[in-house]
């Protein structure tokens, strides 16, 4: 049976390990600090999925405000351990973010996926997400 609960700092090791499956290297100390900041913010939510007490997935959502559009919640990250796919864990995690979005009176949930993650695209489409644009992501270091 799958349990979903809010993330806590004690989940840092499991969350960091799962993040490496997506190609994001981070250590436990960094992950713990990020979880603490998320939990101390009214504009972020994060949940973990547990099977037999073990963290097997996580999701992070954040409130997004833009000048040109109504506010929305964006999924910042979602991962389910590759050994626990097809148990509807990802769907349950998204449902928890959806409930959080309703509490914040937000009407849209958005997600961005790497263009290479075609299985993720199919997953989100099965849940009712629709592609609305393609874009390139750019970044620079703050100097």
């Amino acid at each position: 049976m799958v349990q979903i609960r809010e993330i806590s700092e004690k989940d840092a090791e499991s969350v960091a390990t799962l993040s490496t499956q997506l190609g994001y290297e981070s250590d436990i100390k960094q992950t713990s600090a990020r979880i603490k900041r998320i939990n101390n913010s009214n504009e972020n939510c994060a949940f973990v999925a547990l099977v037999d007490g073990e963290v097997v997935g996580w999701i992070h959502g954040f409130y997004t405000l833009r000048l040109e559009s109504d506010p929305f919640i964006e999924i910042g990250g979602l991962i389910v351990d590759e050994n626990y796919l097809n148990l509807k864990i990802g769907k349950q995690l998204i449902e928890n973010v959806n409930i959080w979005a309703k509490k914040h009176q937000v009407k849209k949930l958005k997600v961005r996926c790497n263009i290479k993650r075609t299985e993720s695209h199919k997953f989100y489409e099965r849940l009712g997400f629709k592609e609305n644009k393609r874009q390139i992501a750019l970044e620079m270091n703050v100097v």
Side-chain angles (χ1 to χ4, degrees), residues 81-97:
D81 185 295
E82 55 201 14
N83 298 310
Y84 292 88
L85 299 177
N86 300 317
L87 296 177
K88 301 197 184 309
I89 293 171
K91 180 180 181 184
Q92 291 176 61
L93 288 165
I94 289 172
E95 286 170 356
N96 277 265
V97 171

Side-chain angles (χ1 to χ4, degrees), residues 19-136:
S19 297
T20 62
Q21 288 185 18
L22 278 181
Y24 296 101
E25 296 292 329
S26 60
D27 65 31
I28 298 166
K29 186 176 177 183
Q30 290 171 317
T31 303
S32 179
R34 291 176 190 142
I35 291 170
K36 185 176 183 177
R37 288 185 74 185
I38 286 169
N39 283 342
N40 288 327
S41 166
N42 291 330
E43 296 185 346
N44 286 268
C45 67
F47 301 95
V48 290
L50 299 102
V51 173
D52 297 326
E54 179 185 345
V55 174
V56 298
W58 62 261
I59 192 168
H60 168 226
F62 58 95
Y63 181 87
T64 306
L65 184 60
R66 302 274 193 261
L67 281 172
E68 74 280 2
S69 62
D70 289 337
F72 59 92
I73 302 301
E74 184 166 340
I75 295 171
L78 166 63
I79 183 156
V80 174
D81 185 295
E82 55 201 14
N83 298 310
Y84 292 88
L85 299 177
N86 300 317
L87 296 177
K88 301 197 184 309
I89 293 171
K91 180 180 181 184
Q92 291 176 61
L93 288 165
I94 289 172
E95 286 170 356
N96 277 265
V97 171
N98 197 41
I99 291 165
W100 187 81
K102 286 178 186 176
K103 288 180 187 173
H104 285 77
Q105 300 175 346
V106 174
K107 295 183 173 119
K108 281 206 189 274
L109 192 58
K110 297 185 180 187
V111 65
R112 297 181 220 206
C113 290
N114 189 314
I115 195 76
K116 296 182 249 179
R117 298 189 201 276
T118 55
E119 287 304 312
S120 294
H121 306 165
K122 292 175 189 171
F123 163 77
Y124 287 113
E125 288 168 355
R126 281 193 305 271
L127 294 178
F129 287 83
K130 294 182 180 13
E131 183 178 333
N132 69 342
K133 69 177 173 180
R134 292 192 179 233
Q135 59 190 120
I136 185 168

